[in-house]
Amino acid sequence: MTLSELTVNQSARISYLPTDFDLSAQLIEQGFALKSEISLAHKAPFNGPIAFHLHGTKMCLPVAIANQIKIELLA
């Protein structure tokens, strides 16, 4: 499952980052590290950015990048 497939307020743990080193490094700097807990805050209409709750703040990602981050759902 990927980040873009989460539903509002559904929680998950990041399990896989993109293979592109530069993109992964940028995501890690923003807090999207492996094993981080994350939940969906909001999806913009018309395939716009997706907002997530991460480390006590709200972070946005384009759908194309969210599609590359795999997650494991939390119970």
Side-chain angles (χ1 to χ4, degrees), residues 1-6 14 32 38 50 52 61 66 69 71:
M1 184 173 195
T2 66
L3 275 181
S4 61
E5 297 174 277
L6 280 175
I14 297 174
F32 291 87
I38 191 166
I50 305 174
F52 301 96
L61 286 176
I69 301 172
I71 54 168

Side-chain angles (χ1 to χ4, degrees), residues 16-34 65 68-69:
Y16 176 85
L17 293 173
T19 55
D20 180 294
F21 177 79
D22 292 332
L23 178 56
S24 290
Q26 183 180 16
L27 288 168
I28 290 168
E29 287 177 4
Q30 294 176 5
F32 291 87
L34 291 175
I65 294 175
Q68 298 178 53
I69 301 172

Side-chain angles (χ1 to χ4, degrees), residues 4-5 8-9 15 20 30-31 41 55 59-60 65-66 70 74-75:
S4 61
E5 297 174 277
V8 176
N9 295 324
S15 61
D20 180 294
Q30 294 176 5
H55 303 296
M59 301 290 291
C60 293
I65 294 175
K70 296 192 192 290
L74 299 176

